[in-house]
Amino acid sequence: GEADSEPARRTFVARTGANRAPSAAMTVDSQTIMVGSDAWFDGSGSSDPDDNRLTYHWHLLDRPDGSNAQLRFRDVTRPDGAVLSNARAGLTADRPGIYIVLLAVRDSHGVTSTTTSTTYGRVLAKSENNPPVIGSISNDNDHFTARRRNTHFNDTDQPYVIGGSEALTLYAQNAVDPDLDTLYYLWTLDQPVGSDLTEAGVEATFAPGTPTVPGTYTATAVASDGIETSEPQTLSFSVVEREDYPSLMLEDYYSAELNYWDRNMTTMHGADALPFQRAFPYWHHDDTSFPVFSHQLEQGDNVIKNYRLTAYQGSYTITNLRVATPTRDGAQVFSGGFVGLSEGMVIGQGESVDFSLALNAPADANDYINAGNISPDPDRPYDSNVLIGMTYTFEIAEKPGWRFEYQPACY
């Protein structure tokens, strides 16, 4: 009756509609460990659509015969300071084999995550381990059988050109683990002073960005199975200004209106970013995901690709210029040719030559195809490309091994 206490306050949230169930999510620190090591499972990525507080309920579903492993728990502190009690579960593997842990989360109203989609983590404990291996690093997606883009600029004569190339994409090729363990990756990139490309990555493919600073770049990749790492693989390549290019440059305009892949590339990158530098030996195989549609063909020559060749240092001679006809029975009514490029042509230093690939089509090509006049290819009976076997090729006489090859697709 003489003095008041400090007020005590509680906040209550009133919602309209029913309470919704939370969702459990789990990650595993490492899917492979050695016997005697700890395995940890993290449920801090679980969520509740109503932002209710969650409790974490862990269950050791399976463990190797003879194992006495038991779960223990740790809290997780979020960046905002909130503490998630028992959001991590761990165990010590005492026997080789597989350990499986289940997670359910319950909100503050007692609603539990759905049981129709089980959330579990799996860890393999081994008594022996073989380290993983990376075969090589490439900045050319030659492991794809179609639409190889040829951006391998680790060739001394064909460096990466500033302002004329796509963003870099680096691939860890032939990365294998003898024990078939899940692989984890670490990329690092050494770059010249002033370059601000992404310095590291943790996926099998590393996309550091578009170089804008001349110099030498070196990428390094290692793979881990969670226990041991592979021997590091490195790839070094040079970046130069266009005027410092040391040889014959091939560029793809991606400007053929009939070519669906060209239109897609123009949409993705914008016409102002084109043409894109390409490298020899060049091969580009289209498929029916991005074809030349037969209903767009007119009788006679139809341009399906546009390229440019520029001789920056020295002169270069075009040789073995050929176009092979399609091999499917009935498809020989289609033929091809080069426009702007001829056998024996010399591109002198400082000169540029624009050339096109032409597809010669008969009248009513679409009706001809749809009438069933072209037989399936016996080796690829389910391939709808009527131009199987058609190949545009030429070579550069002064550069053994520098070959151009393009195969179109049409249906």
Side-chain angles (χ1 to χ4, degrees), residues 101-273:
V101 171
L102 293 182
L103 170 65
V105 291
R106 183 174 299 155
D107 69 14
S108 54
H109 297 283
V111 178
T112 304
S113 54
T114 176
T115 58
T116 58
S117 179
T118 303
T119 302
Y120 71 92
R122 174 186 179 277
V123 167
L124 171 64
K126 301 191 297 184
S127 54
E128 295 182 7
N129 184 64
N130 294 294
V133 176
I134 296 179
S136 63
I137 298 175
S138 175
N139 56 350
D140 178 16
N141 57 359
D142 58 4
H143 53 290
F144 296 139
T145 58
R147 297 194 301 278
R148 175 178 172 179
R149 295 181 296 176
N150 300 85
T151 51
H152 48 286
F153 303 126
N154 49 305
D155 186 329
T156 303
D157 287 339
Q158 300 181 96
Y160 187 103
V161 171
I162 293 174
S165 298
E166 292 174 87
L168 286 170
T169 303
L170 306 177
Y171 305 89
Q173 294 188 303
N174 300 319
V176 296
D177 185 87
D179 305 324
L180 303 181
D181 296 331
T182 299
L183 291 181
Y184 308 89
Y185 296 88
L186 176 62
W187 290 86
T188 56
L189 180 68
D190 292 329
Q191 51 193 314
V193 175
S195 177
D196 60 356
L197 299 186
T198 302
E199 295 180 348
V202 293
E203 305 294 337
T205 298
F206 179 41
T210 303
T212 59
V213 176
T216 299
Y217 294 70
T218 301
T220 302
V222 295
S224 171
D225 60 4
I227 300 172
E228 297 180 81
T229 58
S230 66
E231 291 295 321
Q233 289 286 345
T234 62
L235 174 71
S236 294
F237 57 93
S238 296
V239 173
V240 300
E241 299 285 359
R242 179 177 288 269
E243 59 269 21
D244 296 325
Y245 198 75
S247 64
L248 179 69
M249 186 193 300
L250 172 68
E251 295 172 281
D252 190 335
Y253 279 105
Y254 291 106
S255 59
E257 289 295 323
L258 292 179
N259 191 307
Y260 187 37
W261 180 243
D262 280 18
R263 299 203 307 272
N264 183 66
M265 288 287 284
T266 302
T267 299
M268 285 194 301
H269 299 283
D272 292 342

Side-chain angles (χ1 to χ4, degrees), residues 148-150 249-256 259 261-262 275-280 282-286 303-310 338-341 352-357 392 394 404-407:
R148 175 178 172 179
R149 295 181 296 176
N150 300 85
M249 186 193 300
L250 172 68
E251 295 172 281
D252 190 335
Y253 279 105
Y254 291 106
S255 59
N259 191 307
W261 180 243
D262 280 18
F276 278 148
Q277 176 193 4
R278 293 295 173 252
F280 292 104
Y282 173 87
W283 62 269
H284 182 126
H285 295 180
D286 279 332
V303 173
I304 58 173
K305 288 294 292 181
N306 294 304
Y307 294 93
R308 178 170 67 195
L309 286 167
T310 303
F338 287 88
V339 179
L341 209 62
S352 289
V353 171
D354 290 338
F355 69 94
S356 301
L357 310 184
Y392 298 75
F394 65 83
F404 174 98
E405 177 181 316
Y406 174 81
Q407 291 185 359

Side-chain angles (χ1 to χ4, degrees), residues 345-393:
M345 174 184 284
V346 176
I347 305 174
Q349 182 172 341
E351 294 181 350
S352 289
V353 171
D354 290 338
F355 69 94
S356 301
L357 310 184
L359 174 64
N360 188 281
D364 302 320
N366 190 57
D367 294 338
Y368 180 85
I369 293 172
N370 291 331
N373 293 309
I374 300 177
S375 302
D377 186 288
D379 297 324
R380 297 152 66 179
Y382 301 108
D383 193 334
S384 58
N385 180 13
V386 301
L387 300 180
I388 291 174
M390 175 172 275
T391 309
Y392 298 75
T393 58

Side-chain angles (χ1 to χ4, degrees), residues 282-343:
Y282 173 87
W283 62 269
H284 182 126
H285 295 180
D286 279 332
D287 62 22
T288 50
S289 298
F290 296 92
V292 172
F293 289 106
S294 60
H295 67 267
Q296 296 180 302
L297 294 176
E298 297 180 357
Q299 183 177 5
D301 285 341
N302 298 263
V303 173
I304 58 173
K305 288 294 292 181
N306 294 304
Y307 294 93
R308 178 170 67 195
L309 286 167
T310 303
Y312 284 93
Q313 300 292 333
S315 298
Y316 299 90
T317 307
I318 304 300
T319 187
N320 295 325
L321 189 83
R322 298 186 179 91
V323 180
T325 56
T327 55
R328 291 175 59 174
D329 289 342
Q332 288 75 24
V333 295
F334 293 92
S335 60
F338 287 88
V339 179
L341 209 62
S342 59
E343 176 69 20

